[in-house]
Amino acid sequence: MEIRKIRFTRHTNETGSLAFLESVRDIPFSIKRVYYIFDVAKGAHRGFHAHKKLQQVLICIRGSCKALVDDGVELNDPTEGLYVGNAVWREMFEFSSGAVLLVLASEYFDESDYIRDYKEFLSYVREGGK
Ligand code: T46
């Protein structure tokens, strides 16, 4: 199970800030898909699954939210990403009002890569699925 934070380069001047990231150089995989989660209902929890193969980097580009991947990690900095390897159960919660969570993904969307049942996830990990 691999989880770590990644810091992006930030350029700030009197007109504002810009942060950038480059596929493979800053992100530990080639980005095949980008999606973002927004307009999250107050108190809503999302996620509740793991992936067999997919790796992702989560960046809260506006506001804040928490990601439960091992212990709870708060994402509240648009210049910081959370790398989540495959075979990690994740839940996202405590989205602040107006929060936008951007996700960079290593694979195209494939529902068969999802493990949405926690018991099935435990068996998958015990059987050495990585
Ligand atoms: C993850 C967390 C952080 C698509 O059709 N294409 C896509 O690229 C994605 C991401 C989703 N979908 C469909 C599948 C569902 O019918 O959109 C619907 C909502 O997806 P889901 O319930 O999986 O959303 P979250 O917020 O629980 O999870 C998402 C990602 O699916 C997941 O990979 O790690 O964000």
Side-chain angles (χ1 to χ4, degrees):
M1 174 164 93
E2 197 184 343
I3 301 156
R4 65 188 149 90
K5 284 199 169 174
I6 302 173
R7 173 68 60 186
F8 307 125
T9 305
R10 174 184 186 140
H11 292 276
T12 301
N13 64 21
E14 61 286 356
T15 65
S17 293
L18 176 154
F20 74 91
L21 53 93
E22 294 182 348
S23 182
V24 182
R25 290 182 173 167
D26 299 296
I27 303 299
F29 50 78
S30 176
I31 300 166
K32 285 199 179 144
R33 182 164 53 104
V34 175
Y35 61 92
Y36 40 97
I37 298 168
F38 59 103
D39 280 355
V40 176
K42 196 165 189 284
H45 286 228
R46 300 185 63 105
F48 301 97
H49 60 260
H51 287 276
K52 295 173 186 165
K53 185 175 171 200
L54 183 79
Q55 306 167 62
Q56 302 193 115
V57 172
L58 282 58
I59 310 162
C60 196
I61 56 170
R62 181 180 174 137
S64 63
C65 69
K66 285 195 177 149
L68 182 76
V69 280
D70 185 7
D71 45 10
V73 181
E74 173 145 320
L75 300 175
N76 57 13
D77 180 345
T79 66
E80 187 175 80
L82 180 67
Y83 170 79
V84 182
N86 66 318
V88 178
W89 187 262
R90 82 281 318 270
E91 297 175 21
M92 293 85 66
F93 59 104
E94 284 188 27
F95 284 82
S96 66
S97 170
V100 181
L101 180 65
L102 179 75
V103 185
L104 313 175
S106 66
E107 306 298 329
Y108 299 121
F109 178 69
D110 176 7
E111 186 59 41
S112 72
D113 188 61
Y114 283 71
I115 307 171
R116 294 189 185 269
D117 179 86
Y118 193 66
K119 280 189 186 158
E120 194 187 315
F121 164 70
L122 292 179
S123 311
Y124 181 78
V125 174
R126 275 193 216 109
E127 286 158 19
K130 279 197 154 209

